[in-house]
Amino acid sequence: MKSKKILEVCLSPDLGGLELYMSRCANELSKEFEVSCVVSTTSKLKDYITTLEKFEIKRKSSFSIFSSLKLAKIIDDKNIDIVHLHWTKDIPIVVLAKIFSKKKPKIVQTRHMTMTRFKNDFYHKFLYKNIDTIICVTKALEEQIIKFIPNKIRPKTKTLYLGANEVELLNEKEIEAFKGELKVENSFMVGLVGRINEFKGQYLLIEAMKVLKSKNLDIKAYIVGHAMNEEYLDKLKQMLKDYNLEAFIKFVGFTKEPYKFMQACDVILMTSKNETFGLVTIEAMKNQTAVIAANSGGVLEIIDDRETGLLFESGNANDLALKIEELYFNMQLKQTLAKNAKIKVDECFDNNKQFEKLNKLFEMI
């Protein structure tokens, strides 16, 4: 008999690593617990939750009393023991729902975003004293939580890395066919996966490709992900025109099969300014593809420079170009990095191992 009832909550309208991690949590935790899910009526995430009970709430703002009351009713109707939230902007709604509910469930937050300022005002004291546990996706993030939330109201903290799923490796013929669809031909293939917004740093790849094109290197780059901001996407496309790179950089859009894309690439980039963790990084490592990443944020807990990947100076397109060029000319290094990365991700960032730890944590709460 499943012992606890867990409500997974994510009212974000977007579809990226955070949202997809919520659906993975729901599916994995349902093996040990009774799990229901709550998503936004406008969410792209709802299509990924197909086998579990799912509720939809219309979310107008982080302070919607209507949303909180509706969530409280779900909590009481389903007799929920733990509400597990992922999007920081959902905290007020979830806390108010706890207060409005008769059940008064414990609140657990998996925090994916950095914390940069003190939370010692009345508003944050009210929120955080109602949260039982914050699961931090990096050690650096847990240190921030301890630094910025006063001890008297600070929830319990625990570092638990995200994990990457085991993947089925494509054979050479399948990879060639996939490359054919993308018209890669024999070019060195660079990939960048993630939602398209300025924080993710797609513009750095374009600037780096401008440098590499000036050296007449046979490189093509592909950007995977949906645009959060059409204005930013238009700006990137204008850069391609201005630099005459339209034949060398393609926008692929969102894909449900990122593993195929990653395996086809010679290298996957992580160009975010200060990524808290970087799920794409460990997924690329799991797919045995070399990674070049910015030397900031959670990446520093994942990549050992020149052993399991290459690090470039964050925000420096010229340095990024140099690292891509290095792997272009040194296939042996590229293969060694990919091999070492797979060993590390299997040891430290394996999906099954991380969810075993998450299950044990929820058993104790």
Side-chain angles (χ1 to χ4, degrees):
M1 184 177 175
K2 296 184 177 180
S3 55
K4 288 179 182 172
K5 295 184 177 181
I6 297 172
L7 190 65
E8 289 283 332
V9 176
C10 184
L11 301 179
S12 165
D14 300 314
L15 188 64
L18 181 152
E19 293 82 11
L20 291 173
Y21 180 69
M22 179 274 206
S23 69
R24 287 166 60 190
C25 276
N27 289 324
E28 291 293 333
L29 290 171
S30 68
K31 295 173 184 177
E32 299 292 333
F33 306 101
E34 191 173 326
V35 177
S36 303
C37 304
V38 177
V39 297
S40 167
T41 52
T42 59
S43 172
K44 300 178 180 72
L45 178 61
K46 55 187 174 184
D47 295 332
Y48 286 78
I49 301 168
T50 56
T51 60
L52 300 175
E53 185 174 34
K54 177 175 59 185
F55 301 93
E56 295 182 21
I57 290 180
K58 190 173 183 180
R59 180 191 183 280
K60 291 185 177 179
S61 73
S62 295
F63 307 96
S64 172
I65 299 296
F66 174 79
S67 299
S68 297
L69 287 169
K70 191 166 182 182
L71 183 58
K73 187 175 187 309
I74 295 169
I75 288 169
D76 288 339
D77 288 348
K78 301 303 299 181
N79 200 28
I80 296 299
D81 299 298
I82 299 171
V83 177
H84 184 201
L85 72 101
H86 299 261
W87 196 34
T88 303
K89 291 181 180 180
D90 287 338
I91 291 177
I93 288 174
V94 172
V95 167
L96 286 174
K98 172 183 176 177
I99 290 169
F100 293 148
S101 73
K102 297 173 186 175
K103 178 66 179 175
K104 309 298 183 204
K106 290 186 176 178
I107 298 174
V108 176
Q109 178 195 11
T110 292
R111 188 171 178 104
H112 300 259
M113 305 303 293
T114 56
M115 186 174 284
T116 57
R117 60 189 179 88
F118 287 102
K119 309 291 184 179
N120 54 0
D121 55 280
F122 175 80
Y123 167 68
H124 285 101
K125 286 178 181 177
F126 165 70
L127 293 181
Y128 285 109
K129 74 177 183 181
N130 280 290
I131 296 176
D132 181 81
T133 303
I134 297 179
I135 300 170
C136 308
V137 296
T138 63
K139 293 174 184 174
L141 181 52
E142 184 172 20
E143 290 170 4
Q144 291 169 10
I145 300 292
I146 292 169
K147 176 181 179 181
F148 291 120
I149 300 179
N151 185 50
K152 277 192 265 185
I153 58 151
R154 187 191 310 135
K156 296 189 284 288
T157 60
K158 173 76 175 176
T159 294
L160 186 63
Y161 290 126
L162 306 184
N165 282 317
E166 200 58 55
V167 294
E168 182 181 342
L169 293 179
L170 304 178
N171 60 43
E172 200 170 311
K173 188 176 284 187
E174 288 171 322
I175 289 176
E176 287 305 315
F178 187 75
K179 283 186 171 183
E181 292 174 19
L182 294 173
K183 297 182 171 56
V184 179
E185 297 165 337
N186 294 317
S187 302
F188 188 85
M189 184 176 174
V190 175
L192 200 166
V193 181
R195 64 187 82 188
I196 297 176
N197 65 7
E198 194 162 356
F199 172 80
K200 292 292 184 181
Q202 287 87 1
Y203 66 93
L204 288 170
L205 168 58
I206 296 173
E207 294 285 359
M209 284 293 289
K210 179 186 176 186
V211 174
L212 295 166
K213 181 178 177 260
S214 70
K215 298 181 180 183
N216 294 315
L217 303 183
D218 185 13
I219 300 174
K220 288 182 181 176
Y222 296 83
I223 298 173
V224 172
H226 75 276
M228 291 181 68
N229 185 319
E230 290 296 330
E231 188 178 332
Y232 175 62
L233 179 60
D234 290 340
K235 178 182 172 183
L236 295 177
K237 289 179 177 178
Q238 187 60 49
M239 287 177 71
L240 297 189
K241 288 181 182 178
D242 294 343
Y243 296 161
N244 195 24
L245 290 173
E246 290 173 290
F248 304 95
I249 301 177
K250 300 293 181 185
F251 291 94
V252 180
F254 183 78
T255 176
K256 288 188 175 183
E257 298 179 312
Y259 70 96
K260 283 187 178 181
F261 177 79
M262 289 178 175
Q263 289 179 38
C265 286
D266 289 285
V267 61
I268 291 290
L269 307 181
M270 171 60 76
T271 54
S272 301
K273 291 178 182 176
N274 192 22
E275 191 73 50
T276 313
F277 181 77
L279 187 58
V280 167
T281 304
I282 62 170
E283 287 176 341
M285 293 163 73
K286 197 79 164 178
N287 279 282
Q288 300 184 36
T289 302
V291 176
I292 299 174
N295 63 348
S296 62
V299 165
L300 298 174
E301 295 181 37
I302 300 172
I303 289 180
D304 308 295
D305 191 27
R306 312 199 75 80
E307 291 182 25
T308 58
L310 294 182
L311 298 177
F312 75 95
E313 183 184 352
S314 182
N316 188 331
N318 288 318
D319 193 35
L320 173 59
L322 285 173
K323 297 302 189 295
I324 295 172
E325 183 179 354
E326 183 175 1
L327 294 190
Y328 176 86
F329 284 113
N330 192 339
M331 297 298 280
Q332 181 59 52
L333 175 60
K334 180 175 81 77
Q335 291 166 2
T336 299
L337 293 175
K339 181 181 176 183
N340 291 344
K342 177 65 164 62
I343 293 170
K344 179 165 185 180
V345 81
D346 284 347
E347 181 182 340
C348 303
F349 307 106
D350 177 74
N351 195 54
N352 291 332
K353 290 180 181 177
Q354 296 311 108
F355 275 118
E356 277 179 25
K357 294 176 183 177
L358 186 64
N359 271 321
K360 288 178 182 174
L361 180 61
F362 273 87
E363 284 172 4
M364 293 186 292
I365 290 174

